[in-house]
Amino acid sequence: MSILAQNKFLLSSRSHVNPCSTPTPRRVVYCIANTTVNGVGTSSKHGDGQLVIEREVISPSPLTSVNSSTYYSVLNDPSLRSTWSHRAWVAGGCTTVLISLAKSIVGAASSRIWLEPALAALVGYILADLGSGIYHWGIDNYGGASTPIFGTQIEAFQGHHKWPWTITKRQFANNLYALARAVTFAVLPVSLAFDDPTLHGFVGVCSGCIMFSQQFHAWAHGKKSEIPPLVVAMQDAGLLVSRTQHATHHRPPYNNNYCIVSGIWNQLLDETKVFEALEMILYFKLGLRPRSWTEPNSEWTEETEILEQTTAH
């Protein structure tokens, strides 16, 4: 899934699903003491006094496929195309980031102090990945289309789970403009008001990684043969989130591997169950149930692209 807004693409009613793929209900019981919770329904007390959460889980049906007519309707869908407004925001975001990076380099050169700006840039790169994961987790699990400010993004993420391959068909500026707009407003004042090379080393790299996280995300959904060799090398080296790592996020139970810049935080966050602990806190304090406790359902059952049908034309 993505870290910024995409228009939710509703596939044509002509998309084909397998009529034999019938979800199978099963009962799963989770003990809160483990904090590994995938669903919430009724709660009761276990024999040893531990609170137990139960629910009926509908096992996801096998991946369904999109036929060729639907595929070509995606390619021609105007919501995937870049507009001049999109391009202007991306140009503005890139300019703002470049100004910050230039100030860092010029300041470091004039002061002959390179270590601090370089370390600040590294910290910015690392924290950008963590920030992408926290944001991704939040909009994946809470809110809806009517949520103020973030509603469009939340709705788009739900569509992305069902049709993840459409992100690879989205044009560059269309994919990046929303984050580029946010970066422009956030970073431009910093770029104009400060000259500290260490500050700009952090701000430039962090904001640049956040702005381009949607492109990193798109590459994580791309086929290796269609991705630039340098990008593939960076994915294999762990500098960008890999296709294999992100693919796990699109498989049940859809509650892991949220980070989409480099993915370096994913293993730690998943093994320590940080997000599950936050979900429990929000549930007991505010009564908010994350979608990961009740998914997967038909809205998140992935429909895949059929290469054989599309390449035959």
Side-chain angles (χ1 to χ4, degrees), residues 25 29 83 113 147 162 165 167 192 220 224-225 308:
V29 179
T83 66
I113 298 176
T147 301
K162 193 166 185 65
W165 53 274
I167 194 174
L192 297 177
K224 191 172 183 178
S225 60
E308 292 79 4

Side-chain angles (χ1 to χ4, degrees), residues 97 100-101 120-121 124 186-187 190-191 198-208:
V97 169
S100 186
L101 292 174
V187 177
V190 177
S191 297
T198 301
L199 173 64
H200 282 295
F202 172 82
V203 170
V205 172
C206 186
S207 61

Side-chain angles (χ1 to χ4, degrees), residues 1-6 135-136 139 156-157 160 167 214 217 260:
M1 287 188 305
S2 61
I3 283 305
L4 81 145
Q6 304 177 58
Y135 187 76
H136 191 176
I139 64 175
F157 271 54
H160 176 68
I167 194 174
Q214 270 297 86
H217 183 194
I260 58 170

Side-chain angles (χ1 to χ4, degrees), residues 11 32 35 48 50 70 72 90 126 131 165 207 233 290:
L11 286 180
I32 286 182
T35 70
D48 58 5
Q50 295 176 333
T70 300
Y72 285 109
V90 171
I126 293 172
W165 53 274
S207 61

Side-chain angles (χ1 to χ4, degrees), residues 26-58:
R26 55 189 173 88
R27 181 170 292 276
V28 178
V29 179
Y30 300 98
C31 178
I32 286 182
N34 294 330
T35 70
T36 303
V37 180
N38 288 328
V40 174
T42 59
S43 61
S44 60
K45 289 286 184 178
H46 191 269
D48 58 5
Q50 295 176 333
L51 180 63
V52 172
I53 295 177
E54 300 179 355
R55 79 170 182 90
E56 288 287 338
V57 178
I58 304 299

Side-chain angles (χ1 to χ4, degrees), residues 234-264:
M234 295 177 71
Q235 289 177 334
D236 293 342
L239 298 176
L240 296 180
V241 63
S242 69
R243 302 175 308 283
T244 302
Q245 186 182 64
H246 187 66
T248 306
H249 178 72
H250 285 274
R251 301 190 188 111
Y254 305 104
N255 64 354
N256 53 60
N257 289 281
Y258 287 105
C259 301
I260 58 170
V261 174
S262 64
I264 58 176

Side-chain angles (χ1 to χ4, degrees), residues 16-95:
H16 289 178
V17 297
N18 186 350
C20 298
S21 301
T22 304
T24 304
R26 55 189 173 88
R27 181 170 292 276
V28 178
V29 179
Y30 300 98
C31 178
I32 286 182
N34 294 330
T35 70
T36 303
V37 180
N38 288 328
V40 174
T42 59
S43 61
S44 60
K45 289 286 184 178
H46 191 269
D48 58 5
Q50 295 176 333
L51 180 63
V52 172
I53 295 177
E54 300 179 355
R55 79 170 182 90
E56 288 287 338
V57 178
I58 304 299
S59 298
S61 58
L63 298 183
T64 55
S65 299
V66 178
N67 64 15
S68 58
S69 61
T70 300
Y71 176 84
Y72 285 109
S73 71
V74 171
L75 295 183
N76 295 321
D77 181 54
S79 71
L80 301 180
R81 298 176 184 172
S82 298
T83 66
W84 285 110
S85 175
H86 297 162
R87 296 183 183 99
W89 281 119
V90 171
C94 289
T95 300

